[in-house]
Amino acid sequence: MHIANRVRKGGHDIPKDYVKLRYQNRLESLIRVLPLCDEVIFYDNENGFVKVAEIKNNTFNYTNDYRPNWIEKVEQIV
């Protein structure tokens, strides 16, 4: 649904299988890259571009009361 919406707005199409694979591997990819980062800022783009959390000084913090389901999963792995 989101891909079709992007295409209708003039964006490029992405094969659904590729999107599913990347989605399934997102947390594993995050775990691999986190040790390389001094700071991490998480944004949600479902309803705009909203900053939802950050990691600074090895501490995970929410930045507002908006907590999409995916960020709670991220908090559990950090």
Side-chain angles (χ1 to χ4, degrees), residues 30-49:
L30 179 62
I31 290 168
R32 284 195 307 271
V33 75
L34 280 177
L36 305 173
C37 302
D38 293 326
E39 293 183 6
V40 180
I41 301 174
F42 298 95
Y43 291 89
D44 184 71
N45 65 354
E46 184 70 24
N47 295 307
F49 197 63

Side-chain angles (χ1 to χ4, degrees), residues 19-74:
V19 173
K20 288 178 184 178
L21 178 63
R22 288 188 63 189
Y23 183 79
Q24 291 169 350
N25 295 331
R26 73 197 183 288
L27 293 179
E28 291 83 4
S29 296
L30 179 62
I31 290 168
R32 284 195 307 271
V33 75
L34 280 177
L36 305 173
C37 302
D38 293 326
E39 293 183 6
V40 180
I41 301 174
F42 298 95
Y43 291 89
D44 184 71
N45 65 354
E46 184 70 24
N47 295 307
F49 197 63
V50 180
K51 182 178 175 182
V52 294
E54 62 188 13
I55 299 172
K56 289 187 178 180
N57 300 320
N58 296 316
T59 303
F60 181 93
N61 293 304
Y62 287 103
T63 55
N64 60 46
D65 291 331
Y66 176 58
R67 296 182 182 175
N69 290 337
W70 64 266
I71 197 64
E72 292 175 358
K73 293 176 184 172
V74 169

